[in-house]
Amino acid sequence: MADINHFEYGWITPALSYALSVLGSVLGLICAGRIRTAGTAGQRAWWGLLSAWALGGTAIWAMHFMAMLGFAVDGTRIRFDVPLTVASTVIAVVAVGIGLAIVGTGRLNPVRLVAGGVFTGAGVASMHYTGMAAMRLNGSLGYDTIRVVLSVVIAVVASTVALWLAMTVRRGLAIFASALVMGIAVNGMHFTGMSALSVHRHEGTGEVTGASVSTLLVPIVVAVIFGVVGLLYALLAAPNDDDRAAAAYLDGRRVPEPAAVTPVSAPDPVGLRARSTLGQPGTPFPSRRDTPPR
């Protein structure tokens, strides 16, 4: 059995992974709050998609990959299968998106919350072990069943709490405190699952195929940066509750424009208005000489 090191670079990788999970949780909770105040189904779908990307893509998957940077196995290189790595990202985002759709449609109740938490937690656990299956090394992977089950339970509980917070928390300080708790839960699930892993190294030293960590690091970092910037822009550009309240106040204070006054015609007892020539400038006044004989 090969020796495993989960913290090859010391405290840097777990600190960065925790920071990513907190950042994604903050953005995801804010976007989820916009789902409740959205006026149309299209707006709710838009904010649900952004929240799923922030929570599933940044808080969960990017945190997982950052923590994997510190993972090393003695005596073998580690490579990653790119399609499986991409699939793990899709699983995380889709699972969170479906969980938000379950709890965000209709009135929130315990049945919806538990159903969304179980589905999302199972998706998060699937993401984790799909990402582990994407590893390529000179050895075979084994897992301790009890710790695997424990990691799935943690994922389900953490997902249920995260969905509940996403639907109930609104204030800035509460959102930040909730993100700190969610970061602990996500990292706890990851490292619990990693502690269940054991590697039985093969005697041969064949070439390990796949993409290296350094090859995947640049596109992933760029995707995370653009994703965070895009989320911030969407949040800053969209009106919030205060903006809508201010607009409603200004509309209430606006003085209505007076209705247009219809001009009232002066009385015309002798019928002069019927003679169109009198209304034209420069027309001579008619005389009796111009009147034809009867």
Side-chain angles (χ1 to χ4, degrees):
M1 185 177 296
D3 292 331
I4 296 176
N5 186 3
H6 296 285
F7 308 102
E8 186 180 18
Y9 301 105
W11 59 269
I12 296 178
T13 51
L16 290 177
S17 64
Y18 180 73
L20 277 175
S21 61
V22 171
L23 176 61
S25 298
V26 169
L27 295 174
L29 290 174
I30 296 175
C31 291
R34 300 297 179 91
I35 299 175
R36 300 188 298 268
T37 59
T40 63
Q43 292 177 353
R44 287 191 291 271
W46 169 249
W47 289 115
L49 178 62
L50 293 181
S51 181
W53 173 255
L55 292 172
T58 303
I60 297 173
W61 187 87
M63 169 268 148
H64 166 84
F65 187 83
M66 184 60 64
M68 290 301 297
L69 292 179
F71 178 77
V73 178
D74 186 35
T76 178
R77 294 181 178 180
I78 297 177
R79 296 289 186 267
F80 291 90
D81 182 88
V82 175
L84 277 179
T85 303
V86 174
S88 66
T89 311
V90 176
I91 291 172
V93 176
V94 171
V96 174
I98 295 178
L100 287 171
I102 292 174
V103 301
T105 55
R107 188 175 182 179
L108 182 64
N109 55 54
V111 175
R112 287 180 179 272
L113 184 60
V114 172
V118 170
F119 189 93
T120 305
V124 171
S126 300
M127 178 280 304
H128 174 81
Y129 290 105
T130 301
M132 297 301 297
M135 288 195 309
R136 298 291 180 263
L137 46 80
N138 283 324
S140 57
L141 305 181
Y143 294 95
D144 180 75
T145 304
I146 296 178
R147 295 189 182 186
V148 169
V149 173
L150 180 59
S151 68
V152 174
V153 172
I154 294 175
V156 171
V157 174
S159 299
T160 304
V161 173
L163 293 175
W164 179 76
L165 293 173
M167 293 295 106
T168 56
V169 174
R170 293 191 179 186
R171 298 298 180 183
L173 185 59
I175 289 176
F176 183 71
S178 301
L180 294 177
V181 176
M182 289 173 61
I184 295 174
V186 171
N187 281 265
M189 177 269 162
H190 172 82
F191 288 107
T192 300
M194 293 299 294
S195 68
L197 176 67
S198 60
V199 178
H200 300 269
R201 193 160 61 87
H202 296 160
E203 295 298 332
T205 57
E207 182 180 357
V208 180
T209 60
S212 63
V213 173
S214 58
T215 303
L216 295 175
L217 184 60
V218 174
I220 290 175
V221 169
V222 171
V224 170
I225 291 175
F226 275 94
V228 170
V229 172
L231 289 168
L232 290 175
Y233 177 79
L235 289 170
L236 293 175
N240 54 24
D241 293 340
D242 294 336
D243 296 333
R244 284 187 285 269
Y249 174 77
L250 292 177
D251 289 339
R253 298 280 295 176
R254 186 176 298 161
V255 179
E257 297 181 359
V261 179
T262 304
V264 180
S265 301
D268 186 21
V270 295
L272 294 178
R273 190 176 295 109
R275 302 180 181 182
S276 60
T277 55
L278 292 179
Q280 300 177 4
T283 303
F285 193 83
S287 63
R288 293 181 179 272
R289 297 176 182 179
D290 298 332
T291 306
R294 298 181 177 177

